[in-house]
Amino acid sequence: MKKQLLSNTKNLILTGVGGQGNVMASRTLAGMLVDAGYIVTIGETFGMSQRGGSVMSHLRISPDSVKSPQIPRGGADVIVALEPLEALRVLTVYGNPQVCVMSNARPVYPIGVITGELSYPSEENIQVAFQRLSKAFWIIDATSAALALGNPVLSNIVMIGALAKTGLLPIDRRMFEKEIKKTLAADKCAVNLKAYDAGGEMIK
Amino acid sequence: MGISNFGYPMNKKPGSQTKLKKDVLEQSLCTGCGACVGLCPYQVVYHDRTVQLHDCDLTDGKCYAFCPRTPANYGQIRESLFDISDVTPEIGAVKGYYLSRAADPALRAKSQHGGTVTALLGVAMDEGLINSAIVSSRNEELKEEGRLIEEKSQLSDYAKSKFTVSPTVAAFNQLMGDVVRKVGVVATPCQALALAKMKTVRIKDGDKINPLNLVIGLFCGWTLSVESFHRLLQLYQISPAALTGMDIPPGKNILELYTNESVTSVPMAEVDACVRTACRYCIDSTAEFADLSVGAARFGGDCDEMRGWNQIIVRSYRGKQLLELAVAQGALEIREAPASALQDLKNAAAGKKRKALKNIVEKSRSVKNLLYLSGDDPVVKKYLSMEKKKR
Amino acid sequence: MTKLLSPARSKVLFLGNEAIARGALEAGVAVATGYPGTPSSEVIESLAHVASERNLYVEWSVNEKVALEVAAAASFTGLRSMAVMKQNGVNVASDFLLHLTASGTRGGLVLVSCEDPGALSSVNEGESRYFARMLEMPLLEPSDFQEAKDLTKWAFELSEQIGNVVMLRSVTRMSHASGNVICGKLPVKSRKAHFEYDGSVMDSSRGPMISTPVVAKHLLHQQKLKAVEALFEKSPFNRYFGAAKPELLMITSSACFLYAEEAIEMLGLQKRVGILKLGTTWPLPPKLLEKHLRKTKKILIVEEVMPFLEENVKILAAGLANRIAINTFHGKYDETLPSAGELNPDIVAAALCHILKVKRKTLPANYLSDSQKAAALIPAREQTFCAGCPHRASFWNIHNAIALDGRKGFVCGDIGCYSMAALSPATGYHTMPTLHSMGSGTGLASGFAKLAQFGLDQPILTVCGDSTFYHAVIPALINAQHNRADITFIVLDNAGTAMTGFQPHPGLAISAMKEAVPAVDIAAICSAIGAKVALSDPFDLETTRKILTSFLADKGLLKVLILRQACALSPEKKGKKIFDVKVNELLCLGDACGCNRLCTRVFRCPALTWDRTTKKAVVDEVICAGCGVCASICPQKAIVKTEASL
Ligand SMILES: Cc1cc2nc3c(=O)[nH]c(=O)nc-3n(C[C@H](O)[C@H](O)[C@H](O)COP(=O)(O)OP(=O)(O)OC[C@H]3O[C@@H](n4cnc5c(N)ncnc54)[C@H](O)[C@@H]3O)c2cc1C
Ligand code: SF4
Ligand code: SF4
Ligand code: SF4
Ligand code: SF4
């Protein structure tokens, strides 16, 4: 068996709601990390993502080996969430006292909340839970920043920019630029870079 | 999430719509009046059926409150609409009772009997008592519906009786809250009752302006179920589209069906089989809660002469005022009814009451359970005890 | 240059399905076919992208059976080909597959089945490995991304070697996971197609491609499979990891290998537990298994869904009973592992803890209790039709028509995004109580409609998507017409196979390879069958409802309503709003009698939310797709739509 310590692998979970650009974000991150020489395994649950369900990507960033595409319970190092409720959902399953959480502030209400059958936790309750269940957390209004740039779908890139700024992952702007040049149409690169920078600015 | 509550939250108290379904629709008590229709997106009428499109969980809703087949305090309603001294047990409030017909022979020719209803609506519009009227019309699917009329000249196009139910109250509901309109509605007894409940029953949302200014009631023995009636037409090879009118000529015990080409007589026994079930439980034959009620004049020896006349009951001040205006304007001719007429009418009306109560008790299997009626109401009490004695 | 054509030796992050596609390219595949279905679609999609560059023929076939037939034709001419499908697709293809394994193949032919343990995006957890045993064909299962590529490549060689189909099975966690792959060489030469048929009937490389004489050919087929067994004994895709004499031996394949590895690491059991990872799972190589079964008394077989490996290993072990002491087998039969649903590292770790009586390190107690408290606050996120989805409007119309008709009609469901109407009943307004395989909605409807003589008086409706129509509905529809079934058949035509990501289908004038092709018109087919056909836009609520109620009332015949409106996520619509939609707060009645939140409580577009403080509906501009349908349902005309400025 390939021998290596679990602590060498960074486990990141990117979560959100169908349609928020979760898959694009996780593939962009993974692309950057592969380029930097890491062995990355991504496990995605996106079969039903188009239909407003929860979407989750597990990224395993290892110096030397392929990992299971599913992170064990309690095994996340970083949680990046495009939606606060989804951050909480992932945190309660994959969290541990060492986990760091980066969450978008803007809720997307589940249909059961809209109809009135269920209720959405208050902002305050979410914050308290983040505080108790993580080592560090950031809540940023990525959607507003993206709307300011003209397209709410850029929130995922704002989140990547913010994540990079925290230094939790070995990624930087140059790597991001290189990756999107490979994957995006040329005319889209500029606005994506702006979104990335906007994210960085939101982290003090 | 259980299917039982359709995914909507369960309310402890049953919702109004659910109660309406259990107490009225599922009991075959629904008259199709349309009072619960058009108030909201959930209750609609299709053909002559009242359909609950989606579930609603509200309590104290208008649908249940307005329905003429949910319990109500009739005493209170009578008090608020009429001079209590005018009220008779058989036919409700009577301020005056006449034979009448439209003065204009052309209008008479277009109308059911004497054209009284149409003529009165015309006068009410002329005199500014109302500026809109709701009458009955047939839609493209040949089904009856309420129609809003704003021009007097159009009224006569919608004259004549349709013996299937026409949810005129649903059309009226569209106008609730309208501050500019003054509306007159032509109503069968159940519809007149619904409109009276809307005026008098207090419900939470009742702050909307009710633009109702006039109710002209129609005498009514029953309405026909659309499905059965269309089957009957088929049997007699009359297409619903060709039908121009129908009537029950006095004394012949038949229903006449008119087309441009022909007159077809259908024995009453066959017609009876098509009567809407709900009508078997209705105790009102003269639209007791209207301002004025109009029916056919059908007594005395000379049937054919009577055919062009109506009998009219004046019930409220508003009704009296309108009748006086109509006579003064020369739009309506009235004459005193023969002495026996009023008694004949009362007897017939009492007969319907007794029969309905008998049917109700048969259905509920208990004199204590009168479905939508209350044994405490003096009128109900009177005819129920007569029925008991007969037994 | 696309990633799929990366030069040899480059290290690339591939989706499992891309790795399979790359393996096929390295093997020199010429023809690739498939029917879209999650989690399989990206194999054909990514090959379609490079079709012209690599001179491939790639098609989305009308269904899986035809896909396999088209691929087989290529094989018969000596070309390498593959057919790709999801688990249940193998059932569709299986009739042909039975005959194909009997006739044999020529150019390498690989059947790829991407399966969905746990039914993450399916309505079944079908298991197609049993087909390998039943139809006697070799089965390969990659357990990481590199293997997904390498095994695929080798599958073509193996197929050619034995002159028969080889099946490659992937799972969602492989197909839809990504990992690093080191690329191999792409071939430069291509083969020329020619179909030889003059040889002897027993010579499948030159003679006619038929299954007769059946018994003689069957024996030959079995001999070849025996030879495969020998090859598998030495296959590098079967590997052992761990101590020479472990306490427990795990036998596993596919993504389960990664779970097993992770579980051992988590529990620090490297010295006590060994893993035999099999890449070739049918036929099982007996000598290799004997060697490993001798290692220990305790065996744990780790696999998803059905106990395929477990059963076959046990059969082998029974045959070896006199040579190896009987082992204790753990797996699904003794309920050490669940018999349904997908596995993950936690489940495997729990099994190890159970067998070896060890404990997993847990999180601090106070953390766990805080975590539980937080979990109690989390509302479920039910799936629903997207904002702007035409299906929501279609089901709204269907519901209303059924309610107005009043005879308790119902819809027989079918497979597509609109299956949601059955999976989450409130989303379909409780109209669709049956859901089975593709096309079976129409077949069921055809059956229900013939039950009038037994007293059934409910109107029967059925729906299908445009892609499903071609796939399997046509025979059922012909059945309905020929047998005079009174059904209202509704085609939810959203111009693409939306559920799996907009693959073209025969109704569109474009092929998988982006070539212009003739579109096959659904309305024309239905008219030709003899049905009464109407067309409407589901967003036009009034017209659609009228057609539907008139269809329900029009008894005794087959009626077809084509509801045409592009998917909200279709490339031509995505991100482009037709209307700007807002709620006029002054008009909104909210939860008062007269509306009671029709839009948020009943209609349930995810973009229409309910403000609990103002008690008014609010349109979330980020989510709203601007379809404008909600404006037509609001009883107060409080939802206002205006043409969107572009
Ligand atoms: C269902 C039904 C049953 C009746 N049963 C009797 C009875 O048993 N005994 C009796 O004396 N009279 C009965 N009438 C009343 C009678 O048919 C005449 O309507 C009445 O005599 C008035 O005649 P007219 O010439 O003034 O009416 P017209 O001037 O012709 O005007 C009739 C008015 O009634 C409206 N109308 C027609 N059909 C309906 C309907 N279904 N619901 C609501 N409004 C409608 C028309 O639009 C028009 O405005 C019944 C009427 C109906 C509709
Ligand atoms: S009238 Fe009111 S209570 Fe009745 S169904 Fe409509 S909204 Fe609900
Ligand atoms: S009687 Fe009138 S109000 Fe009552 S349920 Fe029927 S249509 Fe509605
Ligand atoms: S349907 Fe209209 S009135 Fe009712 S809650 Fe929604 S926006 Fe308000
Ligand atoms: S316009 Fe209305 S129905 Fe359409 S997506 Fe927006 S909120 Fe939903």
Side-chain angles (χ1 to χ4, degrees):
Chain A
M1 186 183 307
K2 291 161 203 154
K3 288 267 146 52
Q4 136 267 303
L5 293 169
L6 187 65
S7 59
N8 285 353
T9 300
K10 271 260 186 232
N11 291 332
L12 178 141
I13 299 181
L14 226 151
T15 185
V17 176
Q20 287 193 310
N22 189 292
V23 170
M24 188 265 182
S26 66
R27 292 195 186 161
T28 304
L29 269 178
M32 292 158 73
L33 290 155
V34 167
D35 226 36
Y38 291 93
I39 299 205
V40 179
T41 314
I42 321 176
E44 285 163 356
T45 311
F46 62 77
M48 291 289 206
S49 66
Q50 294 177 348
R51 282 157 292 275
S54 310
V55 191
M56 187 166 53
S57 301
H58 289 196
L59 260 79
R60 325 244 4 221
I61 307 141
S62 158
D64 51 16
S65 77
V66 172
K67 306 298 295 176
S68 146
Q70 296 195 71
I71 293 171
R73 291 177 80 92
D77 297 306
V78 183
I79 295 169
V80 178
L82 298 167
E83 202 279 343
L85 181 66
E86 294 314 304
L88 200 57
R89 197 188 303 282
V90 167
L91 187 57
T92 55
V93 178
Y94 297 95
N96 57 69
Q98 300 310 312
V99 72
C100 298
V101 179
M102 163 75 63
S103 175
N104 189 3
R106 190 184 173 104
V108 174
Y109 296 110
I111 209 77
V113 170
I114 291 176
T115 61
E117 290 152 279
L118 306 171
S119 30
Y120 196 95
S122 68
E123 245 173 78
E124 193 198 340
N125 280 338
I126 292 179
Q127 284 220 19
V128 169
F130 283 0
Q131 201 145 29
R132 296 222 175 122
L133 298 175
S134 68
K135 185 172 84 181
F137 71 94
W138 296 264
I139 299 176
I140 63 170
D141 191 354
T143 306
S144 297
L147 276 172
L149 289 169
N151 192 346
V153 96
L154 290 167
S155 339
N156 57 356
I157 303 301
V158 176
M159 297 297 292
I160 292 182
L163 177 67
K165 184 72 179 290
T166 62
L168 290 168
L169 285 188
I171 51 171
D172 60 27
R173 192 177 194 274
R174 192 191 43 77
M175 290 162 74
F176 175 72
E177 189 170 357
K178 190 172 160 205
E179 179 63 23
I180 58 168
K181 279 198 172 139
K182 275 194 281 187
T183 53
L184 295 182
D187 59 324
K188 296 221 172 102
C189 285
V191 68
N192 275 274
L193 273 171
K194 271 192 202 153
Y196 180 98
D197 293 338
E201 279 158 29
M202 294 170 105
I203 302 298
K204 294 286 150 334
Chain B
M1 189 177 61
I3 298 294
S4 59
N5 66 345
F6 274 78
Y8 308 141
M10 283 278 209
N11 241 315
K12 299 237 170 39
K13 198 170 152 192
S16 298
Q17 195 205 31
T18 313
K19 270 171 52 191
L20 193 69
K21 181 174 177 180
K22 277 186 58 191
D23 298 353
V24 181
L25 299 175
E26 287 177 354
Q27 297 292 328
S28 300
L29 285 181
C30 171
T31 65
C33 71
C36 63
V37 169
L39 297 163
C40 73
Y42 305 110
Q43 301 275 128
V44 298
V45 61
Y46 186 65
H47 297 175
D48 62 346
R49 275 180 293 117
T50 302
V51 175
Q52 303 195 321
L53 262 193
H54 293 275
D55 280 15
C56 168
D57 57 354
L58 289 184
T59 52
D60 306 315
K62 292 184 270 193
C63 49
Y64 193 82
F66 296 166
C67 172
R69 291 299 174 261
T70 59
N73 185 339
Y74 292 160
Q76 214 169 45
I77 301 175
R78 283 184 203 112
E79 235 167 85
S80 67
L81 297 177
F82 307 113
D83 264 343
I84 214 65
S85 57
D86 290 342
V87 174
T88 68
E90 300 90 346
I91 57 170
V94 184
K95 255 193 202 315
Y97 172 70
Y98 314 94
L99 297 186
S100 68
R101 68 175 189 185
D104 175 4
L107 172 58
R108 286 209 299 268
K110 279 177 94 175
S111 61
Q112 186 68 16
H113 296 125
T116 301
V117 173
T118 306
L120 285 172
L121 286 174
V123 172
M125 275 190 164
D126 274 348
E127 299 289 332
L129 241 56
I130 60 173
N131 56 21
S132 320
I134 288 177
V135 297
S136 166
S137 150
R138 279 169 133 197
N139 66 17
E140 57 196 64
E141 287 171 319
L142 303 173
K143 303 292 162 14
E144 268 60 73
E145 64 183 15
R147 168 77 58 108
L148 175 71
I149 302 295
E150 292 168 306
E151 294 291 332
K152 179 187 171 187
S153 59
Q154 287 175 3
L155 285 170
S156 62
D157 297 344
Y158 300 94
K160 288 201 171 147
S161 299
K162 292 94 192 172
F163 285 154
T164 47
V165 76
S166 181
T168 48
V169 190
F172 172 73
N173 281 337
Q174 306 289 320
L175 310 176
M176 275 301 267
D178 192 320
V179 290
V180 185
R181 279 187 202 283
K182 293 192 270 180
V183 186
V185 183
V186 182
T188 55
C190 52
Q191 294 172 328
L193 174 55
L195 291 163
K197 284 176 96 174
M198 291 166 81
K199 276 243 142 161
T200 53
V201 176
R202 234 164 281 290
I203 67 154
K204 270 191 220 145
D205 174 73
D207 51 357
K208 268 191 181 170
I209 298 291
N210 183 333
L212 185 68
N213 267 33
L214 177 69
V215 177
I216 300 186
L218 300 178
F219 288 13
C220 177
W222 38 248
T223 61
L224 300 175
S225 131
V226 167
E227 210 188 320
S228 321
F229 180 56
H230 279 208
R231 245 185 274 126
L232 188 77
L233 287 180
Q234 209 173 12
L235 208 69
Y236 283 87
Q237 292 172 336
I238 300 169
S239 95
L243 193 69
T244 53
M246 48 195 146
D247 197 18
I248 300 162
K252 292 192 189 163
N253 219 20
I254 53 162
L255 172 74
E256 286 181 348
L257 299 170
Y258 313 119
T259 65
N260 284 334
E261 281 83 45
S262 65
V263 178
T264 310
S265 301
V266 181
M268 223 44 198
E270 282 176 44
V271 180
D272 281 341
C274 300
V275 168
R276 199 178 166 98
T277 313
C279 296
R280 295 165 34 88
Y281 309 109
C282 174
I283 57 168
D284 186 354
S285 52
T286 58
E288 293 176 27
F289 296 97
D291 290 304
L292 300 140
S293 296
V294 184
R298 53 184 48 170
F299 35 76
D302 192 349
C303 289
D304 277 337
E305 200 217 330
M306 279 296 145
R307 219 169 167 159
W309 286 84
N310 292 109
Q311 33 183 345
I312 180 167
I313 304 171
V314 181
R315 302 185 183 281
S316 68
Y317 283 107
R318 167 68 42 95
K320 184 162 178 270
Q321 180 195 7
L322 177 58
L323 185 75
E324 282 163 2
L325 283 169
V327 173
Q329 242 196 33
L332 204 69
E333 300 170 7
I334 56 171
R335 47 187 244 213
E336 288 302 322
S340 63
L342 185 61
Q343 196 50 49
D344 285 353
L345 179 62
K346 285 184 172 175
N347 292 346
K352 182 170 174 181
K353 283 186 162 50
R354 280 205 305 271
K355 198 153 167 223
L357 283 163
K358 180 171 159 247
N359 290 338
I360 287 175
V361 172
E362 245 171 49
K363 185 176 174 70
S364 74
R365 299 212 183 106
S366 155
V367 285
K368 298 223 173 62
N369 176 359
L370 300 180
L371 306 176
Y372 69 102
L373 294 173
S374 154
D376 295 339
D377 184 80
V379 176
V380 173
K381 206 182 246 165
K382 172 169 177 180
Y383 291 102
L384 189 64
S385 63
M386 284 171 73
E387 195 48 44
K388 270 193 223 153
K389 262 182 231 141
K390 232 177 79 184
R391 277 186 167 190
Chain C
M1 184 203 59
T2 60
K3 193 169 71 170
L4 201 64
L5 300 181
S6 302
R9 280 192 301 282
S10 48
K11 193 160 115 187
V12 196
L13 183 75
F14 275 142
L15 198 63
N17 282 342
E18 290 169 337
I20 292 170
R22 172 71 190 206
L25 287 174
E26 290 181 10
V29 74
V31 171
T33 63
Y35 182 80
T38 316
S40 73
S41 310
E42 296 82 1
V43 179
I44 292 299
E45 260 169 16
S46 52
L47 286 173
H49 263 303
V50 301
S52 62
E53 244 167 304
R54 296 297 305 169
N55 189 30
L56 312 178
Y57 174 71
V58 182
E59 81 168 31
W60 283 124
S61 308
V62 74
N63 64 31
E64 293 87 349
K65 178 168 174 278
V66 175
L68 187 61
E69 287 156 352
V70 171
S75 161
F76 293 171
T77 68
L79 300 178
R80 288 189 167 179
S81 62
M82 80 168 160
V84 186
M85 54 204 65
K86 70 183 290 182
Q87 71 273 14
N88 38 302
V90 182
N91 296 32
V92 177
S94 64
D95 191 16
F96 177 64
L97 188 58
L98 167 68
H99 295 87
L100 182 64
T101 52
S103 80
T105 60
R106 291 180 188 169
L109 173 52
V110 179
L111 168 64
V112 178
S113 168
C114 300
E115 316 203 345
D116 194 14
L120 300 172
S121 47
S122 306
V123 293
N124 66 77
E125 324 191 75
E127 158 83 82
S128 66
R129 289 183 299 174
Y130 286 91
F131 277 106
R133 192 166 86 183
M134 190 163 79
L135 305 183
E136 298 164 298
M137 53 180 178
L139 172 66
L140 307 177
E141 292 187 77
S143 60
D144 68 22
F145 310 96
Q146 187 68 42
E147 271 196 8
K149 175 188 87 64
D150 295 343
L151 258 178
T152 307
K153 182 173 177 222
W154 185 59
F156 285 91
E157 286 157 27
L158 181 64
S159 166
E160 260 165 36
Q161 214 164 329
I162 60 164
N164 218 319
V165 202
V166 170
M167 178 159 157
L168 183 107
R169 179 211 188 219
S170 174
V171 292
T172 303
R173 299 297 181 187
M174 185 59 50
S175 284
H176 277 181
S178 310
N180 297 55
V181 173
I182 298 169
C183 293
K185 267 202 277 208
L186 292 172
V188 277
K189 272 196 257 163
S190 56
R191 297 182 187 180
K192 186 176 180 311
H194 179 70
F195 184 42
E196 197 93 42
Y197 53 82
D198 298 333
S200 120
V201 80
M202 287 302 290
D203 177 1
S204 60
S205 63
R206 290 191 201 294
M209 300 305 283
I210 52 173
S211 55
T212 55
V214 171
V215 175
K217 282 211 169 169
H218 194 178
L219 286 169
L220 196 66
H221 175 187
Q222 286 172 338
Q223 272 169 25
K224 287 180 178 169
L225 199 70
K226 254 315 187 230
V228 171
E229 230 173 65
L231 282 172
F232 283 1
E233 294 287 5
K234 295 185 197 63
S235 166
F237 296 108
N238 302 325
R239 269 172 294 162
Y240 176 73
F241 304 86
K245 284 273 166 206
E247 203 178 323
L248 174 75
L249 172 71
M250 284 203 262
I251 302 177
T252 188
S253 66
S254 191
C256 293
F257 165 65
L258 297 172
Y259 306 154
E261 230 189 359
E262 182 109 18
I264 290 176
E265 263 185 29
M266 261 157 59
L267 299 169
L269 291 172
Q270 288 88 342
K271 294 224 168 66
R272 296 174 67 187
V273 183
I275 306 179
L276 175 61
K277 179 212 83 87
L278 296 174
T280 70
T281 42
W282 186 259
L284 284 177
K287 294 207 185 72
L288 180 81
L289 274 150
E290 181 179 346
K291 185 173 114 192
H292 291 288
L293 288 174
R294 282 176 191 283
K295 283 195 160 99
T296 178
K297 297 271 159 239
K298 281 188 195 153
I299 312 289
L300 170 62
I301 293 157
V302 182
E303 65 192 315
E304 287 172 315
V305 194
M306 300 293 285
F308 176 78
L309 271 181
E310 185 174 347
E311 287 169 358
N312 294 324
V313 169
K314 281 177 171 171
I315 291 170
L316 268 181
L320 297 170
N322 55 355
R323 277 188 277 152
I324 57 169
I326 297 289
N327 292 294
T328 311
F329 287 100
H330 297 288
K332 293 181 185 283
Y333 275 91
D334 74 342
E335 295 176 8
T336 305
L337 287 169
S339 59
E342 66 167 346
L343 300 185
N344 59 38
D346 297 303
I347 297 174
V348 179
L352 289 178
C353 290
H354 171 75
I355 298 168
L356 298 174
K357 311 268 178 294
V358 294
K359 279 223 160 69
R360 188 176 162 185
K361 254 210 306 225
T362 56
L363 294 167
N366 63 336
Y367 187 90
L368 281 177
S369 90
D370 282 345
S371 178
Q372 268 164 20
K373 269 183 228 148
L377 298 176
I378 303 175
R381 196 178 287 281
E382 199 187 326
Q383 275 153 4
T384 175
F385 293 134
C386 304
C389 176
H391 297 324
R392 176 176 296 102
S394 295
F395 278 98
W396 185 260
N397 290 315
I398 291 170
H399 167 92
N400 288 357
I402 288 176
L404 292 176
D405 173 83
R407 287 174 292 157
K408 208 155 176 36
F410 60 91
V411 181
C412 298
D414 220 303
I415 301 295
C417 279
Y418 46 93
S419 301
M420 193 87 68
L423 302 175
S424 156
T427 293
Y429 312 114
H430 303 278
T431 52
M432 201 167 99
T434 78
L435 180 62
H436 299 84
S437 60
M438 291 188 74
S440 45
T442 310
L444 278 173
S446 173
F448 276 120
K450 297 314 295 181
L451 302 180
Q453 77 184 88
F454 305 104
L456 190 88
D457 60 357
Q458 296 157 279
I460 311 300
L461 300 87
T462 179
V463 292
C464 86
D466 35 7
S467 181
T468 307
F469 180 84
Y470 304 102
H471 180 283
V473 166
I474 295 173
L477 201 61
I478 292 173
N479 190 69
Q481 170 69 9
H482 179 65
N483 293 302
R484 297 216 247 158
D486 171 356
I487 58 183
T488 298
F489 170 72
I490 301 158
V491 184
L492 302 170
D493 181 351
N494 63 357
T497 314
M499 187 174 192
T500 52
F502 303 102
Q503 297 80 11
H505 61 62
L508 305 178
I510 184 166
S511 74
M513 300 192 296
K514 304 264 183 291
E515 286 168 348
V517 286
V520 179
D521 183 23
I522 295 180
I525 292 176
C526 296
S527 302
I529 287 174
K532 177 173 179 178
V533 181
L535 188 117
S536 184
D537 173 357
F539 287 176
D540 181 348
L541 300 181
E542 183 67 17
T543 310
T544 305
R545 201 277 296 152
K546 279 204 178 126
I547 295 174
L548 277 171
T549 44
S550 76
F551 271 13
L552 295 185
D554 194 0
K555 293 179 193 154
L557 66 161
L558 174 63
K559 295 136 292 187
V560 177
L561 173 59
I562 298 169
L563 288 178
R564 186 169 296 159
Q565 179 61 249
C567 172
L569 303 179
S570 63
E572 68 270 24
K573 263 195 184 175
K574 200 168 179 177
K576 293 177 206 111
K577 292 188 185 184
I578 315 173
F579 295 109
D580 282 326
V581 180
K582 284 208 163 45
V583 174
N584 179 338
E585 284 212 11
L586 297 174
L587 291 178
C588 173
L589 274 181
D591 57 5
C593 176
C595 182
N596 192 13
R597 306 204 288 117
L598 179 73
C599 56
T600 55
R601 194 179 58 87
V602 185
F603 185 63
R604 297 161 63 106
C605 170
L608 274 159
T609 61
W610 172 240
D611 187 326
R612 290 182 189 213
T613 37
T614 60
K615 296 202 169 289
K616 304 282 172 186
V618 187
V619 175
D620 184 331
E621 56 160 337
V622 171
I623 303 172
C624 173
C627 71
V629 175
C630 54
S632 331
I633 66 147
C634 172
Q636 285 291 102
K637 311 251 173 305
I639 307 181
V640 191
K641 61 178 191 190
T642 47
E643 300 273 330
S645 46
L646 288 166

